[in-house]
Short mmCIF file of all heavy atoms in Angstrom, two decimals:
data_model
loop_
_atom_site.label_atom_id
_atom_site.label_comp_id
_atom_site.label_asym_id
_atom_site.label_seq_id
_atom_site.Cartn_x
_atom_site.Cartn_y
_atom_site.Cartn_z
N ASP A 28 41.96 -21.02 11.47
CA ASP A 28 41.53 -20.10 12.52
C ASP A 28 41.05 -18.79 11.95
O ASP A 28 40.04 -18.22 12.40
CB ASP A 28 42.70 -19.85 13.49
CG ASP A 28 43.06 -21.10 14.27
OD1 ASP A 28 42.20 -22.01 14.35
OD2 ASP A 28 44.18 -21.15 14.80
N SER A 29 41.76 -18.30 10.94
CA SER A 29 41.36 -17.04 10.32
C SER A 29 40.02 -17.17 9.62
O SER A 29 39.17 -16.27 9.66
CB SER A 29 42.43 -16.58 9.33
OG SER A 29 42.04 -15.40 8.68
N PHE A 30 39.80 -18.32 8.96
CA PHE A 30 38.54 -18.55 8.25
C PHE A 30 37.37 -18.63 9.22
O PHE A 30 36.30 -18.07 8.99
CB PHE A 30 38.66 -19.83 7.43
CG PHE A 30 37.44 -20.15 6.62
CD1 PHE A 30 37.08 -19.38 5.53
CD2 PHE A 30 36.61 -21.21 6.97
CE1 PHE A 30 35.96 -19.65 4.79
CE2 PHE A 30 35.49 -21.50 6.23
CZ PHE A 30 35.16 -20.72 5.14
N GLN A 31 37.57 -19.36 10.34
CA GLN A 31 36.52 -19.46 11.34
C GLN A 31 36.23 -18.11 11.98
O GLN A 31 35.07 -17.76 12.25
CB GLN A 31 36.92 -20.48 12.41
CG GLN A 31 36.98 -21.92 11.89
CD GLN A 31 37.48 -22.88 12.94
OE1 GLN A 31 37.87 -22.46 14.03
NE2 GLN A 31 37.48 -24.17 12.62
N SER A 32 37.27 -17.33 12.22
CA SER A 32 37.07 -16.00 12.80
C SER A 32 36.29 -15.11 11.84
O SER A 32 35.45 -14.32 12.26
CB SER A 32 38.42 -15.38 13.12
OG SER A 32 38.27 -14.07 13.60
N GLU A 33 36.56 -15.25 10.55
CA GLU A 33 35.84 -14.45 9.55
C GLU A 33 34.37 -14.82 9.52
O GLU A 33 33.49 -13.96 9.41
CB GLU A 33 36.48 -14.65 8.19
CG GLU A 33 35.83 -13.80 7.09
CD GLU A 33 36.52 -14.00 5.75
OE1 GLU A 33 37.54 -14.72 5.72
OE2 GLU A 33 36.03 -13.45 4.76
N ILE A 34 34.08 -16.13 9.63
CA ILE A 34 32.69 -16.59 9.64
C ILE A 34 31.95 -16.04 10.86
O ILE A 34 30.81 -15.57 10.76
CB ILE A 34 32.63 -18.12 9.60
CG1 ILE A 34 33.16 -18.65 8.25
CG2 ILE A 34 31.21 -18.61 9.85
CD1 ILE A 34 33.19 -20.15 8.17
N LYS A 35 32.61 -16.10 12.02
CA LYS A 35 31.98 -15.59 13.24
C LYS A 35 31.70 -14.10 13.14
O LYS A 35 30.66 -13.61 13.56
CB LYS A 35 32.87 -15.88 14.44
CG LYS A 35 32.98 -17.37 14.79
CD LYS A 35 33.88 -17.57 15.99
CE LYS A 35 34.00 -19.06 16.34
NZ LYS A 35 34.90 -19.29 17.50
N SER A 36 32.67 -13.37 12.57
CA SER A 36 32.49 -11.92 12.43
C SER A 36 31.34 -11.62 11.49
O SER A 36 30.54 -10.69 11.73
CB SER A 36 33.78 -11.29 11.91
OG SER A 36 34.85 -11.51 12.80
N LYS A 37 31.23 -12.39 10.41
CA LYS A 37 30.15 -12.17 9.46
C LYS A 37 28.80 -12.45 10.08
O LYS A 37 27.83 -11.72 9.89
CB LYS A 37 30.35 -13.04 8.22
CG LYS A 37 29.35 -12.79 7.12
CD LYS A 37 29.68 -13.63 5.89
CE LYS A 37 28.67 -13.34 4.78
NZ LYS A 37 28.95 -14.16 3.57
N ARG A 38 28.72 -13.55 10.85
CA ARG A 38 27.46 -13.89 11.52
C ARG A 38 27.08 -12.82 12.54
O ARG A 38 25.91 -12.45 12.67
CB ARG A 38 27.58 -15.25 12.20
CG ARG A 38 27.64 -16.42 11.22
CD ARG A 38 27.83 -17.73 11.96
NE ARG A 38 27.83 -18.86 11.04
CZ ARG A 38 28.08 -20.12 11.41
NH1 ARG A 38 28.33 -20.40 12.68
NH2 ARG A 38 28.07 -21.08 10.51
N LEU A 39 28.08 -12.32 13.28
CA LEU A 39 27.81 -11.28 14.26
C LEU A 39 27.32 -10.00 13.59
O LEU A 39 26.40 -9.34 14.07
CB LEU A 39 29.08 -10.99 15.07
CG LEU A 39 28.97 -9.92 16.17
CD1 LEU A 39 27.93 -10.34 17.19
CD2 LEU A 39 30.31 -9.69 16.83
N PHE A 40 27.91 -9.66 12.45
CA PHE A 40 27.48 -8.47 11.70
C PHE A 40 26.06 -8.62 11.20
O PHE A 40 25.24 -7.70 11.31
CB PHE A 40 28.44 -8.23 10.54
CG PHE A 40 28.03 -7.10 9.64
CD1 PHE A 40 28.23 -5.78 10.02
CD2 PHE A 40 27.42 -7.36 8.42
CE1 PHE A 40 27.85 -4.74 9.19
CE2 PHE A 40 27.03 -6.33 7.60
CZ PHE A 40 27.24 -5.02 7.98
N GLU A 41 25.74 -9.79 10.60
CA GLU A 41 24.39 -10.03 10.10
C GLU A 41 23.36 -9.99 11.23
O GLU A 41 22.26 -9.48 11.07
CB GLU A 41 24.33 -11.37 9.37
CG GLU A 41 25.13 -11.40 8.07
CD GLU A 41 25.11 -12.77 7.43
OE1 GLU A 41 24.66 -13.72 8.09
OE2 GLU A 41 25.56 -12.89 6.29
N LYS A 42 23.74 -10.54 12.40
CA LYS A 42 22.83 -10.52 13.55
C LYS A 42 22.58 -9.10 14.02
O LYS A 42 21.46 -8.71 14.36
CB LYS A 42 23.42 -11.36 14.67
CG LYS A 42 22.50 -11.49 15.88
CD LYS A 42 23.11 -12.38 16.93
CE LYS A 42 22.18 -12.51 18.15
NZ LYS A 42 22.77 -13.37 19.20
N THR A 43 23.65 -8.29 14.02
CA THR A 43 23.51 -6.89 14.44
C THR A 43 22.61 -6.12 13.49
O THR A 43 21.74 -5.34 13.90
CB THR A 43 24.89 -6.22 14.51
OG1 THR A 43 25.72 -6.97 15.40
CG2 THR A 43 24.77 -4.79 15.02
N VAL A 44 22.81 -6.33 12.18
CA VAL A 44 21.99 -5.64 11.18
C VAL A 44 20.54 -6.04 11.30
O VAL A 44 19.63 -5.20 11.26
CB VAL A 44 22.52 -5.93 9.76
CG1 VAL A 44 21.56 -5.38 8.71
CG2 VAL A 44 23.90 -5.32 9.58
N SER A 45 20.28 -7.34 11.46
CA SER A 45 18.89 -7.80 11.58
C SER A 45 18.24 -7.26 12.84
O SER A 45 17.05 -6.93 12.84
CB SER A 45 18.85 -9.33 11.58
OG SER A 45 19.58 -9.85 12.67
N THR A 46 19.02 -7.15 13.93
CA THR A 46 18.48 -6.60 15.17
C THR A 46 18.11 -5.14 15.00
O THR A 46 17.06 -4.68 15.46
CB THR A 46 19.50 -6.76 16.30
OG1 THR A 46 19.85 -8.14 16.45
CG2 THR A 46 18.92 -6.24 17.62
N GLU A 47 18.99 -4.38 14.33
CA GLU A 47 18.70 -2.97 14.10
C GLU A 47 17.47 -2.79 13.22
O GLU A 47 16.65 -1.90 13.45
CB GLU A 47 19.91 -2.29 13.45
CG GLU A 47 21.11 -2.18 14.38
CD GLU A 47 22.31 -1.56 13.70
OE1 GLU A 47 22.24 -1.35 12.46
OE2 GLU A 47 23.30 -1.29 14.38
N LYS A 48 17.33 -3.64 12.20
CA LYS A 48 16.15 -3.57 11.34
C LYS A 48 14.88 -3.86 12.13
O LYS A 48 13.85 -3.22 11.94
CB LYS A 48 16.28 -4.55 10.17
CG LYS A 48 17.29 -4.13 9.12
CD LYS A 48 17.30 -5.11 7.96
CE LYS A 48 18.27 -4.67 6.88
NZ LYS A 48 18.30 -5.63 5.75
N ALA A 49 14.97 -4.85 13.02
CA ALA A 49 13.79 -5.20 13.83
C ALA A 49 13.41 -4.06 14.75
O ALA A 49 12.23 -3.77 14.96
CB ALA A 49 14.08 -6.47 14.63
N ILE A 50 14.42 -3.37 15.30
CA ILE A 50 14.14 -2.24 16.19
C ILE A 50 13.49 -1.10 15.43
O ILE A 50 12.51 -0.50 15.88
CB ILE A 50 15.44 -1.77 16.87
CG1 ILE A 50 15.96 -2.86 17.83
CG2 ILE A 50 15.22 -0.47 17.62
CD1 ILE A 50 17.30 -2.53 18.44
N ARG A 51 14.02 -0.80 14.23
CA ARG A 51 13.43 0.28 13.42
C ARG A 51 12.02 -0.08 12.98
O ARG A 51 11.14 0.79 12.97
CB ARG A 51 14.31 0.54 12.19
CG ARG A 51 15.62 1.22 12.52
CD ARG A 51 16.24 1.81 11.26
NE ARG A 51 16.52 0.79 10.28
CZ ARG A 51 17.71 0.18 10.17
NH1 ARG A 51 18.70 0.50 10.99
NH2 ARG A 51 17.91 -0.73 9.24
N GLN A 52 11.80 -1.35 12.64
CA GLN A 52 10.46 -1.76 12.23
C GLN A 52 9.48 -1.63 13.39
O GLN A 52 8.34 -1.19 13.21
CB GLN A 52 10.50 -3.21 11.74
CG GLN A 52 9.17 -3.75 11.24
CD GLN A 52 8.75 -3.07 9.96
OE1 GLN A 52 9.58 -2.60 9.20
NE2 GLN A 52 7.45 -3.01 9.70
N LYS A 53 9.93 -2.00 14.59
CA LYS A 53 9.06 -1.90 15.76
C LYS A 53 8.73 -0.45 16.08
O LYS A 53 7.60 -0.11 16.43
CB LYS A 53 9.74 -2.55 16.97
CG LYS A 53 8.84 -2.64 18.20
CD LYS A 53 9.54 -3.36 19.34
CE LYS A 53 8.60 -3.52 20.53
NZ LYS A 53 8.11 -2.23 21.03
N MET A 54 9.72 0.43 15.90
CA MET A 54 9.47 1.85 16.16
C MET A 54 8.47 2.41 15.16
O MET A 54 7.59 3.20 15.53
CB MET A 54 10.79 2.62 16.07
CG MET A 54 11.76 2.31 17.19
SD MET A 54 13.34 3.16 17.00
CE MET A 54 12.80 4.87 17.08
N ASN A 55 8.55 1.98 13.90
CA ASN A 55 7.59 2.46 12.90
C ASN A 55 6.20 1.94 13.19
O ASN A 55 5.20 2.65 13.04
CB ASN A 55 8.03 2.03 11.51
CG ASN A 55 9.28 2.76 11.05
OD1 ASN A 55 9.59 3.83 11.56
ND2 ASN A 55 10.00 2.18 10.10
N ASP A 56 6.13 0.66 13.61
CA ASP A 56 4.82 0.08 13.88
C ASP A 56 4.21 0.70 15.13
O ASP A 56 2.99 0.88 15.23
CB ASP A 56 4.94 -1.43 14.05
CG ASP A 56 5.34 -2.12 12.76
OD1 ASP A 56 5.15 -1.50 11.68
OD2 ASP A 56 5.83 -3.26 12.83
N ASP A 57 5.06 1.03 16.12
CA ASP A 57 4.55 1.62 17.36
C ASP A 57 4.04 3.03 17.15
O ASP A 57 3.30 3.56 17.98
CB ASP A 57 5.65 1.64 18.43
CG ASP A 57 5.97 0.24 18.92
OD1 ASP A 57 5.14 -0.67 18.68
OD2 ASP A 57 7.03 0.07 19.53
N SER A 58 4.44 3.65 16.04
CA SER A 58 3.98 5.00 15.77
C SER A 58 2.50 5.04 15.43
O SER A 58 1.85 6.07 15.53
CB SER A 58 4.78 5.62 14.62
OG SER A 58 4.58 4.89 13.44
N VAL A 59 1.96 3.91 15.02
CA VAL A 59 0.53 3.82 14.74
C VAL A 59 -0.21 3.64 16.05
O VAL A 59 0.28 3.00 16.98
CB VAL A 59 0.25 2.64 13.79
CG1 VAL A 59 -1.23 2.58 13.46
CG2 VAL A 59 1.06 2.80 12.52
N SER A 60 -1.34 4.23 16.14
CA SER A 60 -2.10 4.21 17.40
C SER A 60 -2.37 2.79 17.87
O SER A 60 -2.72 1.92 17.10
CB SER A 60 -3.44 4.93 17.20
OG SER A 60 -4.21 4.83 18.36
N VAL A 61 -2.20 2.57 19.18
CA VAL A 61 -2.41 1.25 19.76
C VAL A 61 -3.89 0.88 19.71
O VAL A 61 -4.26 -0.29 19.67
CB VAL A 61 -1.89 1.22 21.21
CG1 VAL A 61 -2.12 -0.14 21.85
CG2 VAL A 61 -0.42 1.58 21.24
N ALA A 62 -4.73 1.88 19.67
CA ALA A 62 -6.18 1.62 19.65
C ALA A 62 -6.60 0.87 18.40
O ALA A 62 -7.63 0.20 18.39
CB ALA A 62 -6.94 2.93 19.72
N HIS A 63 -5.80 0.97 17.35
CA HIS A 63 -6.15 0.29 16.10
C HIS A 63 -5.13 -0.79 15.77
O HIS A 63 -4.94 -1.14 14.62
CB HIS A 63 -6.23 1.29 14.96
CG HIS A 63 -7.27 2.34 15.17
ND1 HIS A 63 -8.57 2.20 14.75
CD2 HIS A 63 -7.21 3.54 15.79
CE1 HIS A 63 -9.27 3.28 15.09
NE2 HIS A 63 -8.47 4.11 15.72
N ALA A 64 -4.46 -1.31 16.77
CA ALA A 64 -3.46 -2.34 16.53
C ALA A 64 -4.07 -3.65 16.07
O ALA A 64 -3.39 -4.49 15.49
CB ALA A 64 -2.65 -2.59 17.81
N ASP A 65 -5.37 -3.85 16.33
CA ASP A 65 -6.01 -5.07 15.90
C ASP A 65 -6.03 -5.19 14.39
O ASP A 65 -6.03 -6.30 13.84
CB ASP A 65 -7.44 -5.15 16.44
CG ASP A 65 -8.27 -3.96 16.00
OD1 ASP A 65 -7.68 -2.89 15.76
OD2 ASP A 65 -9.50 -4.11 15.89
N VAL A 66 -6.04 -4.06 13.68
CA VAL A 66 -6.03 -4.10 12.22
C VAL A 66 -4.70 -4.61 11.70
O VAL A 66 -4.64 -5.38 10.75
CB VAL A 66 -6.31 -2.69 11.64
CG1 VAL A 66 -6.22 -2.70 10.13
CG2 VAL A 66 -7.69 -2.24 12.07
N ALA A 67 -3.59 -4.18 12.33
CA ALA A 67 -2.27 -4.55 11.85
C ALA A 67 -1.86 -5.95 12.29
O ALA A 67 -1.15 -6.64 11.57
CB ALA A 67 -1.23 -3.54 12.35
N ASN A 68 -2.30 -6.37 13.49
CA ASN A 68 -1.83 -7.63 14.05
C ASN A 68 -2.82 -8.77 13.88
O ASN A 68 -2.51 -9.90 14.24
CB ASN A 68 -1.53 -7.44 15.55
CG ASN A 68 -0.47 -6.39 15.78
OD1 ASN A 68 0.44 -6.23 14.96
ND2 ASN A 68 -0.57 -5.65 16.89
N SER A 69 -4.01 -8.49 13.38
CA SER A 69 -5.00 -9.54 13.26
C SER A 69 -4.65 -10.48 12.11
O SER A 69 -3.90 -10.14 11.20
CB SER A 69 -6.38 -8.92 13.00
OG SER A 69 -6.35 -8.13 11.82
N THR A 70 -5.20 -11.68 12.19
CA THR A 70 -4.97 -12.67 11.14
C THR A 70 -5.64 -12.23 9.85
O THR A 70 -6.80 -11.82 9.85
CB THR A 70 -5.53 -14.04 11.58
OG1 THR A 70 -4.93 -14.40 12.83
CG2 THR A 70 -5.22 -15.08 10.54
N LYS A 71 -4.91 -12.32 8.77
CA LYS A 71 -5.44 -11.85 7.49
C LYS A 71 -6.53 -12.77 6.99
O LYS A 71 -6.36 -13.99 6.96
CB LYS A 71 -4.31 -11.75 6.46
CG LYS A 71 -4.74 -11.14 5.14
CD LYS A 71 -3.57 -10.96 4.20
CE LYS A 71 -4.01 -10.32 2.90
NZ LYS A 71 -2.85 -10.12 1.97
N VAL A 72 -7.63 -12.19 6.58
CA VAL A 72 -8.77 -12.93 6.04
C VAL A 72 -9.01 -12.43 4.63
O VAL A 72 -9.07 -11.23 4.38
CB VAL A 72 -10.04 -12.72 6.90
CG1 VAL A 72 -11.21 -13.47 6.30
CG2 VAL A 72 -9.78 -13.16 8.33
N THR A 73 -9.13 -13.35 3.69
CA THR A 73 -9.35 -12.96 2.31
C THR A 73 -10.79 -12.50 2.11
O THR A 73 -11.67 -12.77 2.95
CB THR A 73 -9.06 -14.13 1.37
OG1 THR A 73 -9.98 -15.21 1.64
CG2 THR A 73 -7.64 -14.64 1.55
N LEU A 74 -11.03 -11.80 1.01
CA LEU A 74 -12.38 -11.31 0.72
C LEU A 74 -13.35 -12.47 0.52
O LEU A 74 -14.51 -12.40 0.94
CB LEU A 74 -12.34 -10.41 -0.53
CG LEU A 74 -13.68 -9.82 -0.98
CD1 LEU A 74 -14.28 -8.97 0.13
CD2 LEU A 74 -13.49 -8.99 -2.25
#
Side-chain angles (χ1 to χ4, degrees):
D28 293 340
S29 177
F30 182 69
Q31 292 176 355
S32 177
E33 183 178 355
I34 293 177
K35 292 180 180 179
S36 299
K37 185 176 181 181
R38 290 177 177 175
L39 181 61
F40 175 78
E41 292 177 349
K42 184 177 180 181
T43 304
V44 172
S45 61
T46 303
E47 291 178 353
K48 288 183 178 179
I50 293 174
R51 288 197 299 267
Q52 182 69 26
K53 187 177 184 301
M54 291 177 62
N55 290 339
D56 294 340
D57 290 343
S58 62
V59 182
S60 176
V61 179
H63 299 271
D65 57 333
V66 176
N68 301 326
S69 58
T70 304
K71 185 175 182 179
V72 179
T73 63
L74 180 59

